[in-house]
Amino acid sequence: MLLGFNIDHIAVLREARMVNDPDVLEATLLSANFCDQITLHIREDRRHTQEFDLENLIKFCKIPINLECSSNEEMIKIALKYKPNRVTIVPEKREELTTEGGLNLENDRLKTSIKMLQNENIEVSLFINPNLKDVEMSKELGVEMIELHTGHFANLYNAFFSNISKTPYKVLDMDRKALELSLREELARLEFCAKKGANLGLKIAAGHGLNYKNTKELLFIKEICELNIGQSIVARAVFVGLERALLEMRTLLNESGYQHR
C-alpha cells in the first residue's frame, strides 16, 4: 500500500506567521525518502500551499506529485501549466475547515476539466464519497483513479475508540451501539466500493482523517493501493520529528503486505 504524504499541513504552519518557516520544499525533500508521493491541495482561497510551492515541487522533488484542486477554470489552468503526475479533483467550499465530502459528479464542468488534463497526459483521480453510484459515474467520466473519502469512517472510529465525545471537538451524537454498527457499515461500504471500482478497472486510493490508529482498519482492503495522509503525520512529527513520523506510518502500511498474503 503506497503512502502519499499531504504537505498542506506543513504549509498551514508556515502561513500562520506568513514567513517561510517551516520551508515546504525542505519538508518535501526530506519526506521524499520515506513516502511514495507528495500530495498538495492548492485551494482557491490559497489558505496554505501556493502556486510557487507546486512549481518548486515539480522542479526539485524526485517522487510523484499529486495535485489536489477544484475543477475551477483557474485551478485547472495551474495544473496544465505545471503538469504534475496526477491531479485529484476535489470539492471546495470557502467556509469549510477541511474538505467535508466527495465531489458532486454531476458538475457540468467536470468532464471538460478531465479531458483537458488527460490531453496533457496527466492522470486524473476523483475524490468521491464511498457509494456505488459515484464509483460507477467516475468510470463513465473516464478517469484512471478514484480516492474514497474516509472522513465519516474516521469520525466514527474516533467517536467509538476515544473520548472525543467528551470534548469540544465532538462531531457525532450517537450511543455506543449505534456507533459500532455505523462503523462496521462504513468499513463494509468502503470495501464494497473499492472492490467495485477495481472490478471496473479503476485504481483505488483513500484518504481524509486517517491516522496511526484507524489506518489499520483499511489494510485488509487489498483493492486500495494508496492512502493519502497528512495532518496526523505532521501532528506526530511535533513530538518525534518528521522522519520518524513518516517511518512509523510507512511501517504501519507495510503490514498490509502481510495481511494480504
Side-chain angles (χ1 to χ4, degrees):
M1 194 174 286
L2 303 179
L3 172 61
F5 175 43
N6 190 319
I7 208 76
D8 295 345
H9 303 279
I10 298 291
V12 167
L13 295 175
R14 177 189 67 189
E15 296 300 304
R17 295 292 296 272
M18 300 299 290
V19 293
N20 198 32
D21 186 19
D23 187 324
V24 168
L25 179 59
E26 181 181 0
T28 300
L29 296 179
L30 186 156
S31 304
N33 295 311
F34 307 103
C35 60
D36 302 293
Q37 90 177 1
I38 297 295
T39 294
L40 73 159
H41 180 182
I42 300 182
R43 293 182 60 99
E44 294 171 21
D45 61 15
R46 307 300 199 277
R47 68 174 65 167
H48 37 61
T49 45
Q50 311 293 323
E51 186 174 340
F52 73 83
D53 292 315
L54 176 61
E55 181 178 13
N56 283 338
L57 267 58
I58 295 292
K59 282 183 180 178
F60 300 113
C61 188
K62 65 183 181 181
I63 62 175
I65 302 299
N66 171 33
L67 171 64
E68 296 181 340
C69 67
S70 73
S71 59
N72 173 288
E73 184 177 358
E74 176 196 11
M75 306 314 298
I76 297 301
K77 283 182 178 178
I78 289 173
L80 293 171
K81 178 180 178 180
Y82 294 105
K83 296 181 174 60
N85 302 82
R86 182 193 308 149
V87 168
T88 299
I89 301 178
V90 302
E92 260 189 45
K93 291 188 289 186
R94 291 297 176 93
E95 67 275 14
E96 69 188 0
L97 181 63
T98 184
T99 308
E100 295 173 347
L103 275 166
N104 172 12
L105 298 182
E106 295 179 356
N107 177 349
D108 291 337
R109 177 165 176 79
L110 192 55
K111 196 163 191 175
T112 300
S113 299
I114 290 167
K115 282 299 178 187
M116 290 174 69
L117 294 165
Q118 290 176 331
N119 286 343
E120 294 298 321
N121 295 316
I122 300 171
E123 182 180 56
V124 180
S125 178
L126 300 178
F127 191 58
I128 66 170
N129 290 315
N131 63 65
L132 179 60
K133 180 183 176 183
D134 284 3
V135 173
E136 292 177 336
M137 285 186 68
S138 297
K139 177 63 177 179
E140 292 171 5
L141 286 165
V143 296
E144 296 88 350
M145 189 169 194
I146 55 174
E147 181 168 349
L148 300 175
H149 188 287
T150 54
H152 186 51
F153 154 73
N155 287 337
L156 288 165
Y157 186 96
N158 214 11
F160 188 73
F161 287 105
S162 79
N163 69 340
I164 195 168
S165 61
K166 311 293 186 183
T167 75
Y169 307 110
K170 174 182 178 179
V171 293
L172 297 172
D173 188 13
M174 303 166 66
D175 63 39
R176 286 190 60 77
K177 285 186 177 180
L179 279 172
E180 184 176 19
L181 177 60
S182 296
L183 180 57
R184 289 178 180 175
E185 289 176 344
E186 189 65 14
L187 273 171
R189 188 175 295 112
L190 286 163
E191 183 175 18
F192 174 76
C193 289
K195 290 181 183 299
K196 179 63 176 180
N199 287 338
L200 291 173
L202 296 167
K203 292 194 289 184
I204 313 298
H208 199 82
L210 300 180
N211 58 41
Y212 294 86
K213 295 179 179 179
N214 61 28
T215 295
K216 66 179 182 295
E217 301 292 340
L218 302 181
L219 300 184
F220 299 94
I221 306 175
K222 65 180 186 300
E223 288 78 12
I224 296 177
C225 65
E226 170 189 301
L227 297 179
N228 286 297
I229 304 174
Q231 192 272 339
S232 65
I233 292 174
V234 175
R236 178 70 175 149
V238 170
F239 300 103
V240 303
L242 186 56
E243 178 178 329
R244 180 172 163 187
L246 283 160
L247 280 171
E248 288 178 358
M249 184 60 76
R250 175 74 275 164
T251 299
L252 176 61
L253 297 199
N254 283 348
E255 294 176 3
S256 64
Y258 297 101
Q259 303 289 357
H260 293 163
R261 280 198 285 274

